[in-house]
Amino acid sequence: MGSPQYQFSWRRGVQGLAEFHRGGIPQDTILKFRKGEIIFSQGDPGDCWFEVVSGTVRTCHFHLDGHRQLTGFFYQGDVFGVGYGNRDAAAEAVTNTILARRPVSNDEPAASGQSRALERALDSANQCIFLLGRRNANERVAAFLLIAAKRSSALGSIPLPMTRSDIADHLGLTIHTVSRTISGFVRQGLIELEGPQLCRLVDIEGLRAIAGEEIGAAIDNIAAVRQRGEFAGRGAGL
């Protein structure tokens, strides 16, 4: 269940989380989801947005033919579900997850916080476009690992709680291609696998070279957006 500091009773947890966010979150906006639970469904009204306090979330768009398109992963400090009208994607908890629910508002000062959230949501969308713009599997997987390390504020090892199928769906690749690419990175000494859901970046510069020269700007933009949103992560030495 998430980070050790979040393994608590509901009542104590709400109090602790309010302190975690400098007392700024009313108790009725803290929500907890178990791994695999649906946070909202595609087509639901977009009357609120969410901030990840702990855990990992994925968003998926389901096409009429039943095909699932995984549109993003969201880590601690990320926001999702920002928008107006009905939701064009569903959101699910990849791990046990704690979220802060924020109502959509046109009033100040709430609107200013919503504006920062929209900026961070647009940054997440741009990262997805950046990943899909990579020319081959090596570039996409390398960029994915570097961006995941930065966005999850990982020190040392990167948690990868999502399945290989999720990663493949997100990157527009097959499961076999993702697994083969990750295995190739291990053989080349670029990464080490410390279990099925934990990865350590051994040669960051090597991964950057594979991902392409634009990766530096993409990572710098993540840090800048988070800092403006008062969620500067600890980083992974990237």
Side-chain angles (χ1 to χ4, degrees), residues 163-176:
T163 64
R164 294 288 188 268
S165 176
D166 278 351
I167 296 174
D169 195 358
H170 183 47
L171 298 181
L173 303 169
T174 65
I175 301 174
H176 174 72

Side-chain angles (χ1 to χ4, degrees), residues 74-212:
F74 302 88
Y75 309 91
Q76 180 178 327
D78 285 339
V79 299
F80 64 96
V82 182
Y84 298 93
N86 293 339
R87 301 192 185 280
D88 61 0
E92 305 166 354
V94 177
T95 64
N96 290 347
T97 300
I98 299 175
L99 303 175
R101 180 184 183 274
R102 310 286 194 178
V104 172
S105 174
N106 293 320
D107 299 326
E108 294 291 345
S112 62
Q114 186 170 303
S115 177
R116 288 194 299 271
L118 180 59
E119 182 183 16
R120 304 209 309 272
L122 287 173
D123 181 58
S124 296
N126 287 334
Q127 290 167 34
C128 182
I129 294 171
F130 174 82
L131 288 172
L132 294 178
R134 301 302 85 200
R135 291 171 296 181
N136 56 53
N138 283 350
E139 292 182 2
R140 292 187 187 186
V141 175
F144 172 78
L145 292 174
L146 290 166
I147 288 175
K150 191 65 178 181
R151 290 181 63 195
S152 61
S153 300
L155 287 173
S157 299
I158 311 169
L160 296 175
M162 65 288 293
T163 64
R164 294 288 188 268
S165 176
D166 278 351
I167 296 174
D169 195 358
H170 183 47
L171 298 181
L173 303 169
T174 65
I175 301 174
H176 174 72
T177 299
V178 168
S179 297
R180 186 183 66 226
T181 303
I182 290 175
S183 297
F185 286 174
V186 172
R187 288 194 301 271
Q188 295 172 56
L190 296 168
I191 64 174
E192 290 180 355
L193 297 181
E194 301 177 339
Q197 296 183 324
L198 206 59
C199 172
R200 186 167 72 88
L201 306 189
V202 177
D203 184 356
I204 292 175
E205 290 307 314
L207 290 170
R208 279 175 172 260
I210 293 172

Side-chain angles (χ1 to χ4, degrees), residues 34-40 52 55-62 68-75 80 89-95 97 99 161-163 165-167 169-170:
R34 295 186 182 277
K35 177 181 178 179
E37 279 194 293
I38 296 174
I39 298 165
F40 56 74
V52 181
T56 305
V57 171
R58 64 176 170 243
T59 52
C60 308
H61 179 80
F62 294 92
R68 182 191 76 159
Q69 180 182 359
L70 204 156
T71 55
F73 293 110
F74 302 88
Y75 309 91
F80 64 96
E92 305 166 354
V94 177
T95 64
T97 300
L99 303 175
M162 65 288 293
T163 64
S165 176
D166 278 351
I167 296 174
D169 195 358
H170 183 47

